[in-house]
Amino acid sequence: GNSVTQMEGPVTLSEEAFLTINCTYTATGYPSLFWYVQYPGEGLQLLLKATKADDKGSNKGFEATYRKETTSFHLEKGSVQVSDSAVYFCALSESWGYQKVTFGTGTKLQVIP
Amino acid sequence: ETGVTQTPRHLVMGMTNKKSLKCEQHLGHNAMYWYKQSAKKPLELMFVYSLEERVENNSVPSRFSPECPNSSHLFLHLHTLQPEDSALYLCASSQEASGKVDTQYFGPGTRLTVL
């Protein structure tokens, strides 16, 4: 079956530091890949996505590239802010007439001033 | 209201109570989902409704009973729950079209505590 593995947190960074959160996946087909973010007290929000190999998703300064050869979709941001503190979920999805999404366990990011 | 709303936001219930969680989506989507989010575990997909028909039921105990009366509303009926059912229950919706991958939109969740 499908699975998503992401680095365990929490990750603590100083403001303006570089962020990488690793994510690797196992899938039988050709999934789409996502990063979702969950701020305290809220549901998950889509951060970015990529639907095929070598696609790069980007949003709000975050980027991730769909690497089929290494089955990875690492999240990066050049300069984090305190407001980026949240839990980040890597996920993959295959379409079965509805979205069958497999999520990772989430990585908590804390950015300190 | 916009997006996906869930009520109540917090619920405390005893093991013999019966309660219901409500989800409403204002996005015109045709698929709705219930997830369970527990600490240090991946989100668990519980139920999926596509075009108001249940298409997935991931071996969820019968003490959880979903209902989808129309494409905008989704309920999760709860009865005789166990303490290990305490978690954040998230509702999501998406617009499905053949062969097209779409994004799921999540509500804020209901924090359930079973005493």
Side-chain angles (χ1 to χ4, degrees), chain B:
Chain B
E1 273 211 76
T2 58
V4 181
T5 57
Q6 290 186 243
T7 53
R9 294 293 308 273
H10 300 272
L11 178 63
V12 179
M13 58 188 290
M15 287 163 47
T16 57
N17 291 158
K18 287 186 182 182
K19 297 285 185 185
S20 295
L21 310 185
K22 179 182 175 182
C23 175
E24 185 172 1
Q25 58 95 1
H26 309 267
L27 301 168
H29 289 165
N30 58 13
M32 296 187 77
Y33 310 75
W34 278 117
Y35 288 90
K36 178 182 179 183
Q37 185 178 23
S38 305
K40 303 210 190 295
K41 293 173 72 173
L43 266 72
E44 300 171 49
L45 179 64
M46 300 175 71
F47 301 105
V48 182
Y49 279 82
S50 178
L51 299 172
E52 299 160 47
E53 210 176 300
R54 192 193 308 182
V55 295
E56 180 124 358
N57 175 351
N58 272 351
S59 303
V60 179
S62 59
R63 57 186 184 268
F64 294 92
S65 174
E67 179 190 2
C68 186
N70 56 59
S71 60
S72 299
H73 293 87
L74 184 65
F75 294 90
L76 188 63
H77 303 300
L78 316 171
H79 63 99
T80 58
L81 294 192
Q82 304 298 311
E84 60 265 28
D85 296 323
S86 299
L88 182 68
Y89 288 84
L90 292 166
C91 173
S93 70
S94 67
Q95 180 61 28
E96 297 310 307
S98 177
K100 181 179 179 295
V101 173
D102 200 4
T103 303
Q104 291 191 1
Y105 292 80
F106 284 80
T110 295
R111 173 68 63 186
L112 174 67
T113 303
V114 181
L115 302 177

Side-chain angles (χ1 to χ4, degrees), chain A residues 34-87:
Chain A
F34 302 81
W35 278 100
Y36 282 86
V37 59
Q38 185 177 30
Y39 298 102
E42 298 184 15
L44 278 68
Q45 304 173 25
L46 178 70
L47 181 60
L48 53 85
K49 69 179 181 183
T51 58
K52 61 182 188 297
D54 299 325
D55 267 3
K56 178 187 281 189
S58 61
N59 185 27
K60 299 181 182 179
F62 290 90
E63 291 184 341
T65 301
Y66 190 143
R67 301 281 188 206
K68 192 165 182 293
E69 63 277 11
T70 54
T71 62
S72 65
F73 192 56
H74 304 321
L75 182 68
E76 296 182 337
K77 186 175 185 182
S79 175
V80 293
Q81 305 300 312
V82 171
S83 57
D84 294 327
S85 299
V87 181

Side-chain angles (χ1 to χ4, degrees), chain A residues 2-13:
Chain A
N2 296 340
S3 67
V4 175
T5 303
Q6 58 183 108
M7 60 191 290
E8 282 195 31
V11 174
T12 302
L13 294 174

